[in-house]
Amino acid sequence: MTIIDKTADVPAPRGSTENSGPLLDVRDLHVEFKTRDGVVKAVNGVNYSVSAGETLAVLGESGSGKSVTAQAIMGILDMPPGRIPQGEILFRGEDMLTMGYEERRKIRGQKIAMIFQDALSSLNPVLTVGYQLAEMFRVHQGLSKKDAKAKAIDLMDRVRIPAAKERVNDYPHQFSGGMRQRIMIAMALALEPDLIIADEPTTALDVTVQAQVMDLLAELQREYNMGLILITHDLGVVADVADKIAVMYAGRIVETAPVHELYKRPAHPYTRGLLDSIPRLDQKGQELYAIKGLPPNLLKIPTGCAFNPRCPKAQDICRTDVPPLLSVTERDGGELPGRHSACHFWKEQIHG
Amino acid sequence: MGRYVARRLLQMIPVFIGSTLLVFLMMYALPGDPVRALAGEQAVDQAQIAQVKKDLGLDLPIWQQYWNYLAGLFQGDFGTQIATQRPVADVIADAFPITVRLTLFAFAFTVIAGISMGVFAGLKADTFRDRGLLVLTLLLISVPSFVLAFLAQYFFAHELGWVEPVVSAAADSQELILPAVVLGSLSLAYVARLTRTSVAENLRSDYMRTAVAKGLPKRRIIGVHLMRNSMIPVVTFLGTDIGTLMGGAVVTEGIFNVQGVGYNVFQALKSREGSTVVGIVTLIVVVYLVSSLIVDLLYAVLDPRIRYA
């Protein structure tokens, strides 16, 4: 399996004397969970990389392994039952999987931060938001209670929470959903990390607020030149903010592409299916396309291509051979940077 | 908040009257009477008994007796023991401090040992040490307290000789440790289990995941983020537990000869001393009510989502 190429002309990482490779490089990552019914193979050889200032969108259905990959990067998998039998997660060239607990802890929050889906349950209900924000400064920078609180108010201002000064001592349940997600974002931004992982940051919000939160996130990312991994199943969100996309299915990446190319010419039938199932105004009144079948049971992933039972174009080879993630080229063999597909028939898919 | 407390305090009045009445009626319903109990096995002249009863006001109808008792109570008069002629207030004043000390010891033991055992097991749910705790606490819950008391007496006093088997009349604090441990062991089992479940459950919650993702040190994750949330159900139990410990000391006090409230209630019950029983039980009821009010107020401190208006 190959490593996803960086997209061209990415701004140099902050403090750029350090190595010039990607910020985060996930190599051949495997994650499995031991359950009573057997071993669930949630992630089966994922490769991706993110550079500073770049946004990678990881797309996929529930259970495709996109969140588990993120949790493995963050080091917040429950182990056991979780296990990482294979793979590397390089942050600035250092493998985080071989680091000690303390070393890893210092990266969390400070260098890599995470935004979770459900801000209500992800914030501690019995502590004020000010306390939870200030905690970042107190623990990582050793600030006094008072200074940390002042910084917390600044942060709340920066994510545009009105009347931050008055609300700093409020509890999470006293905020609306959108405001709570802003607090989550503020918490992730607190120490100006190099990389932010946003795990479906807008799924729990209503549509108007979704756009506001995404805009805010994109704006702050530009301002700080951070790397961003955006995990989502919402193709609409992705188009506006992402630089490149990785589509995941059954714990593997099935296609990667720069964002607009993917929408124009998908190179995998699964991506095609996802795109076709977006409701479109010009097809009003017609039946909406849906990928038939269900995501595979991770205890028993189908042989060959995991997508073959649901694929409209499946052939015999799809049921026996696992398609590797190969570079995709133009019809004349011209290079398509950053494009890969794990389909035996990617040529037919992209050019057909 | 102030209004809530006032309302709760007012609610205590009917509970107070109701519980005294109930205990009073129960004492009346018991066979035998205190005057006859005075005489023991001896044959006594019926007329003499009737005279004594008349003097004590025990020949009046029950509701009138109750009224007289309440009237006395509001003037600070708990009544007088018939056999010893001691004022009940004196009996209570002697016995209460001992029981309060015993209860506090037992309570401290329950809180410190119970919560630490619960956290210890809950942090590693479904492991060997967790199973061990569950078995141990199940044992403590199922063994009656008098069995435990006799076992403790046998091992620590008779076999090892660390302590005297019974507590002296002075009831020094160090003498009370063993009875307190026995008294608190049932609550300990409940507190440990409650803490264990609460900790194990909260450990899986999303905000704990956030706390780890924030890069907080383990001590802070557990001490601040986990404990505040896990203590909410435990505090509820502990509040009502103070009352239970005080009332439940009857058996333990009897076995270790601690001359506290439970011991005196038991003696008074045997000799049908109604006013003593009602007085002590009422006091325990008040302790119970006050401690549950404190718990409810503490609840709002621990969990900001709870507000009293």
Side-chain angles (χ1 to χ4, degrees):
Chain A
M1 218 166 280
T2 46
I3 297 151
I4 299 168
D5 297 336
K6 297 184 292 169
T7 35
D9 50 280
V10 164
R14 277 178 293 148
S16 56
T17 45
E18 291 165 63
N19 67 63
S20 55
L23 206 54
L24 181 85
D25 197 352
V26 179
R27 291 183 185 169
D28 194 27
L29 183 72
H30 287 70
V31 181
E32 52 189 41
F33 294 94
K34 246 195 209 132
T35 66
R36 212 170 289 175
D37 306 317
V39 176
V40 173
K41 297 195 164 161
V43 178
N44 307 299
V46 161
N47 292 279
Y48 58 57
S49 69
V50 189
S51 304
E54 187 181 43
T55 301
L56 165 73
V58 182
L59 213 66
E61 289 168 291
S62 313
S64 60
K66 51 196 195 312
S67 289
V68 174
T69 311
Q71 285 172 13
I73 295 170
M74 210 56 214
I76 52 172
L77 275 179
D78 287 329
M79 302 210 273
R83 216 168 71 84
I84 301 179
Q86 203 179 325
E88 287 178 314
I89 301 172
L90 304 176
F91 179 70
R92 289 198 183 288
E94 271 187 88
D95 188 1
M96 292 202 291
L97 293 177
T98 57
M99 284 180 187
Y101 180 85
E102 268 303 291
E103 221 177 325
R104 212 131 185 226
R105 176 180 78 73
K106 285 185 180 136
I107 291 179
R108 283 199 284 261
Q110 214 162 197
K111 304 278 182 207
I112 305 179
M114 189 153 175
I115 298 167
F116 294 97
Q117 183 186 134
D118 183 358
L120 181 59
S121 64
S122 297
L123 291 168
N124 195 323
V126 301
L127 302 172
T128 65
V129 296
Y131 182 91
Q132 294 184 59
L133 287 170
E135 210 176 19
M136 298 294 284
F137 301 110
R138 288 172 61 195
V139 168
H140 290 286
Q141 298 180 341
L143 290 191
S144 72
K145 254 186 170 167
K146 210 178 124 204
D147 294 346
K149 184 152 265 177
K151 281 215 163 196
I153 296 171
D154 281 351
L155 267 180
M156 286 169 74
D157 270 330
R158 209 163 338 155
V159 294
R160 295 193 215 105
I161 292 171
K165 212 172 216 153
E166 289 80 57
R167 305 217 63 187
V168 68
N169 289 323
D170 282 356
Y171 292 90
H173 70 274
Q174 292 166 303
F175 287 85
S176 68
M179 288 297 147
R180 272 198 294 265
Q181 196 54 276
R182 279 164 198 262
I183 288 162
M184 281 254 54
I185 291 174
M187 202 146 79
L189 278 171
L191 304 174
E192 302 181 12
D194 301 331
L195 177 70
I196 287 197
I197 303 172
D199 189 355
E200 307 200 18
T202 57
T203 308
L205 305 175
D206 59 66
V207 185
T208 48
V209 183
Q210 272 184 12
Q212 288 172 17
V213 168
M214 271 327 293
D215 287 347
L216 175 72
L217 196 57
E219 185 191 312
L220 293 166
Q221 185 216 358
R222 267 196 305 279
E223 193 181 323
Y224 293 119
N225 192 29
M226 294 178 298
L228 176 65
I229 298 178
L230 182 67
I231 296 166
T232 182
H233 51 237
D234 187 341
L235 283 156
V237 169
V238 171
D240 299 331
V241 290
D243 297 312
K244 60 186 190 185
I245 294 186
V247 181
M248 281 187 75
Y249 189 80
R252 288 190 67 204
I253 291 182
V254 293
E255 182 174 2
T256 69
V259 64
H260 296 294
E261 305 233 357
L262 184 105
Y263 285 82
K264 252 183 274 165
R265 286 192 302 177
H268 196 284
Y270 178 60
T271 317
R272 169 94 264 158
L274 286 180
L275 292 174
D276 285 345
S277 49
I278 302 173
R280 279 166 47 179
L281 214 53
D282 58 330
Q283 287 174 352
K284 203 174 152 193
Q286 296 172 37
E287 197 182 333
L288 186 65
Y289 177 81
I291 302 173
K292 58 183 198 302
L294 291 168
N297 178 356
L298 293 174
L299 281 165
K300 251 175 40 198
I301 296 174
T303 54
C305 173
F307 187 57
N308 83 66
R310 305 171 72 187
C311 185
K313 294 177 181 133
Q315 311 277 325
D316 286 343
I317 186 177
C318 301
R319 285 180 264 276
T320 53
D321 293 9
V322 180
L325 189 67
L326 295 175
S327 290
V328 171
T329 55
E330 287 290 5
R331 210 184 291 268
D332 57 9
E335 215 185 323
L336 283 168
R339 293 215 64 171
H340 299 81
S341 169
C343 178
H344 292 298
F345 302 102
W346 62 267
K347 273 183 198 147
E348 288 82 341
Q349 186 64 50
I350 192 167
H351 304 305
Chain B
M1 180 81 165
R3 281 185 63 181
Y4 175 78
V5 175
R7 206 169 63 216
R8 285 287 300 265
L9 288 173
L10 283 176
Q11 279 170 0
M12 284 185 191
I13 295 170
V15 176
F16 176 80
I17 292 174
S19 59
T20 50
L21 178 64
L22 214 61
V23 180
F24 206 87
L25 288 176
M26 283 172 173
M27 285 308 291
Y28 188 80
L30 281 177
D33 67 68
V35 181
R36 205 180 294 272
L38 260 182
E41 298 287 302
Q42 289 166 313
V44 196
D45 185 10
Q46 288 299 324
Q48 208 179 339
I49 289 177
Q51 184 56 45
V52 177
K53 276 188 154 185
K54 199 173 156 73
D55 292 345
L56 294 170
L58 294 177
D59 58 338
L60 298 170
I62 175 73
W63 60 267
Q64 215 166 339
Q65 283 187 41
Y66 179 64
W67 177 252
N68 287 342
Y69 177 77
L70 267 192
L73 210 56
F74 282 111
Q75 290 157 27
D77 179 12
F78 279 84
T80 309
Q81 281 197 328
I82 296 162
T84 59
Q85 287 301 311
R86 283 177 74 197
V88 174
D90 282 2
V91 175
I92 292 174
D94 281 348
F96 228 72
I98 298 178
T99 298
V100 166
R101 256 192 304 152
L102 183 66
T103 305
L104 285 181
F105 283 168
F107 188 71
F109 171 66
T110 305
V111 170
I112 295 166
I115 291 179
S116 24
M117 281 164 74
V119 171
F120 182 71
L123 285 178
K124 289 263 158 72
D126 296 323
T127 55
F128 181 74
R129 74 190 199 195
D130 179 42
R131 298 266 155 71
L133 177 99
L134 289 178
V135 170
L136 177 77
T137 50
L138 187 66
L139 213 67
L140 285 179
I141 290 170
S142 27
V143 172
S145 66
F146 70 87
V147 174
L148 215 60
F150 283 130
L151 279 176
Q153 231 173 15
Y154 177 74
F155 279 112
F156 295 110
H158 298 301
E159 288 289 308
L160 296 168
W162 290 356
V163 288
E164 289 298 312
V166 289
V167 174
S168 68
D172 292 332
S173 290
Q174 71 203 51
E175 288 180 306
L176 288 178
I177 291 174
L178 189 63
V181 168
V182 171
L183 179 63
S185 60
L186 179 66
S187 312
L188 168 94
Y190 284 123
V191 168
R193 283 183 159 235
L194 209 57
T195 309
R196 176 240 169 223
T197 308
S198 182
V199 163
E201 201 178 278
N202 283 318
L203 214 49
R204 286 197 299 268
S205 61
D206 287 352
Y207 59 80
M208 286 300 290
R209 200 183 51 187
T210 311
V212 178
K214 280 165 85 175
L216 306 179
K218 257 188 188 147
R219 215 172 345 109
R220 193 179 183 88
I221 296 173
I222 292 166
V224 177
H225 288 262
L226 179 66
M227 286 310 277
R228 282 253 341 236
N229 284 283
S230 303
M231 282 304 99
I232 295 167
V234 181
V235 165
T236 322
F237 176 79
L238 285 176
T240 50
D241 197 44
I242 290 190
T244 317
L245 282 175
M246 289 194 82
V250 176
V251 174
T252 317
E253 286 189 357
I255 290 169
F256 288 101
N257 192 39
V258 180
Q259 304 201 348
V261 162
Y263 177 87
N264 277 290
V265 167
F266 186 61
Q267 295 300 328
L269 268 171
K270 276 204 296 198
S271 51
R272 303 285 178 273
E273 294 276 5
S275 52
T276 312
V277 176
V278 179
I280 291 176
V281 170
T282 307
L283 262 180
I284 293 176
V285 167
V286 170
V287 169
Y288 210 95
L289 289 175
V290 171
S291 61
S292 70
L293 174 61
I294 292 172
V295 164
D296 284 348
L297 296 179
L298 215 64
Y299 222 48
V301 175
L302 278 176
D303 191 342
R305 287 165 295 185
I306 296 167
R307 280 280 164 266
Y308 298 119

